[in-house]
Amino acid sequence: MSYPPAEISEEGRSDSPAPSLYSFNSSIDGRTLLRQAYGRILNNQNDTYLLPADNEEHRRLDLQHHIYTISLGSLFPAADLVRRALAPRPGFTPAIIDLGTGSGSWAIDMAREFPHCEVVGIDLAPPRIERELPINCRFEIDDANLGFAHYRGCFDVVHARAISAGIRDYPQFLNEVAQVLRPGGVFIMGDGEMQLYDENRKPLSFAQPGQPGFTWTHRIFFAGYNAMKNRGGSIDAPSMGPTWLRAVNSFTDVGWQKIFIPIGPWHYEDERSKIVAEMLRMNTLSYISGLGPLLLSEGYLPELVQKMQQEATAELQELRIHLYTRWSFAWAVKKPN
Ligand SMILES: C[S@@+](CC[C@H](N)C(=O)[O-])C[C@H]1O[C@@H](n2cnc3c(N)ncnc32)[C@H](O)[C@@H]1O
């Protein structure tokens, strides 16, 4: 196994996006979708996605949400396309859907920034809503792998950030997304690559302990990458996104933006980039601590999982290693009819 190359009146349509399985607000608990295992609540509604879905994970996702937002300088890339798709029009309510909404922070922030729009967040598990839910925002339990026959032509922006590990067939998922969008609507995908980069921004090659360039952080990222891939996740989506988007006939104006962020403030240009690097170190430490169940489920011995977690944590806390991550955003516009 190896890392990917570094560059590499429709029926049922309603005027307003209709709830799929069921909608809920902040008062609803995790229902039957979660289970307690390995001391963390896991999101195991489908076989593919096996990362925690508890408060700790949602706090990590909130931190990651801030990293994305600060790095982009906005809640989304391709700002002109998004703002055009969401422009207020008389007698029309633009609609946004956030697929794999996690803690729900992006959906809530979008509902605040675009109060004239309707925003829906869907996920296998409920969000953690600790602030007031805007009236134009709601959440639903749904599995993006099951398709969106109930949402044909209902949305002007479709957002899918950091969910590729839970998507079994990303090209098929994109065909569904294209049908969910209204003409002129925008799809945005974003994800951090599992590939790590050295201080010269060159992709790291796999190394064994004792070999030049070996780090435990790379080792555990590599183990996580392989485990997610083995479970059928579309983990190569960050590098394949533009290619897959161009293959969808009804998409046009495909774009791509990539952002390098150091894990920890071993390199920074100003106070802002120092803070983002520090935030990413905290995010990475939390991500590593949540990888246990996934790695154990793949047959890694508990002692090795613990060693990888402890050693990688020490490397990052002591800032002994100088690594970059790369975050990729890709987008496309639905062609006019
Ligand atoms: C890493 S989190 C990202 C959350 C959010 N998009 C963000 O950027 O903060 C991935 C989320 O996708 C959800 N997810 C994974 N596979 C999914 C699927 N097939 N359908 C719906 N949600 C899914 C997970 O439950 C999890 O909350």
Side-chain angles (χ1 to χ4, degrees):
M1 276 166 267
S2 63
Y3 276 155
E7 293 295 328
I8 29 181
S9 144
E10 298 98 343
E11 279 181 4
R13 175 174 172 175
S14 62
D15 290 332
S16 164
S20 51
L21 300 184
Y22 55 87
S23 299
F24 62 91
N25 59 30
S26 55
S27 66
I28 291 179
D29 66 13
R31 309 222 177 199
T32 56
L33 299 177
L34 306 178
R35 72 185 163 111
Q36 193 79 36
Y38 304 107
R40 301 283 300 267
I41 296 173
L42 298 177
N43 189 339
N44 69 326
Q45 196 201 21
N46 71 6
D47 296 327
T48 315
Y49 197 79
L50 189 67
L51 287 177
D54 53 8
N55 278 349
E56 196 177 329
E57 172 67 357
H58 280 171
R59 273 192 291 276
R60 181 184 80 79
L61 293 178
D62 281 346
L63 179 65
Q64 191 167 281
H65 172 63
H66 291 305
I67 295 171
Y68 278 121
T69 309
I70 296 171
S71 301
L72 284 172
S74 166
L75 285 168
F76 39 81
D80 290 350
L81 298 175
V82 171
R83 293 195 182 282
R84 187 182 67 188
L86 298 179
R89 279 153 276 177
F92 173 75
T93 304
I96 303 165
I97 189 164
D98 186 25
L99 306 177
T101 194
S103 64
S105 289
W106 187 85
I108 293 172
D109 284 352
M110 286 297 283
R112 293 229 163 87
E113 184 162 335
F114 298 94
H116 64 286
C117 296
E118 195 170 338
V119 184
V120 184
I122 72 135
D123 202 290
L124 300 168
R128 178 183 60 94
I129 301 166
E130 288 187 337
R131 45 191 175 144
E132 198 182 335
L133 190 60
I135 53 166
N136 59 330
C137 183
R138 71 165 193 272
F139 294 97
E140 296 172 5
I141 300 293
D142 207 346
D143 183 344
N145 289 319
L146 302 179
F148 298 101
H150 51 294
Y151 271 149
R152 296 283 185 254
C154 287
F155 293 98
D156 302 281
V157 169
V158 177
H159 184 250
R161 196 178 64 183
I163 74 160
S164 47
I167 302 300
R168 272 188 225 115
D169 181 346
Y170 214 97
Q172 171 56 25
F173 167 74
L174 290 179
N175 283 319
E176 285 291 322
V177 164
Q179 295 184 63
V180 158
L181 279 169
R182 295 176 174 135
V186 183
F187 171 62
I188 300 164
M189 58 188 281
D191 227 318
E193 292 178 19
M194 300 289 290
Q195 168 73 65
L196 293 175
Y197 293 80
D198 69 14
E199 54 195 332
N200 299 313
R201 303 188 174 187
K202 298 275 178 274
L204 291 182
S205 307
F206 183 75
Q208 295 286 1
Q211 289 181 330
F214 173 82
T215 71
W216 286 100
T217 303
H218 186 219
R219 174 82 192 267
I220 196 165
F221 264 71
F222 189 68
Y225 169 85
N226 282 327
M228 288 179 202
K229 202 160 173 78
N230 285 346
R231 296 188 78 85
S234 300
I235 202 69
D236 297 334
S239 49
M240 292 304 297
T243 306
W244 289 342
L245 288 169
R246 284 192 197 99
V248 180
N249 275 337
S250 53
F251 279 154
T252 181
D253 295 327
V254 173
W256 195 8
Q257 180 175 355
K258 288 161 280 179
I259 301 170
F260 280 96
I261 307 177
I263 312 181
W266 57 267
H267 170 80
Y268 53 88
E269 272 136 29
D270 51 27
E271 202 52 30
R272 183 186 143 282
S273 61
K274 183 180 180 187
I275 290 169
V276 172
E278 185 55 78
M279 288 164 83
L280 182 60
R281 171 161 64 169
M282 289 161 62
N283 181 50
T284 306
L285 288 169
S286 177
Y287 168 74
I288 287 171
S289 105
L291 275 177
L294 173 69
L295 298 181
L296 293 173
S297 79
E298 281 295 297
Y300 284 87
L301 294 174
E303 304 79 52
L304 178 58
V305 172
Q306 201 182 15
K307 181 162 178 71
M308 287 194 287
Q309 287 178 314
Q310 282 173 349
E311 298 285 347
T313 299
E315 284 175 349
L316 294 173
Q317 279 175 339
E318 294 162 20
L319 220 49
R320 267 192 265 137
I321 53 171
H322 294 177
L323 300 176
Y324 274 109
T325 54
R326 196 169 75 163
W327 303 66
S328 289
F329 292 87
W331 57 87
V333 177
K334 170 90 175 272
K335 287 177 186 165
N337 278 333

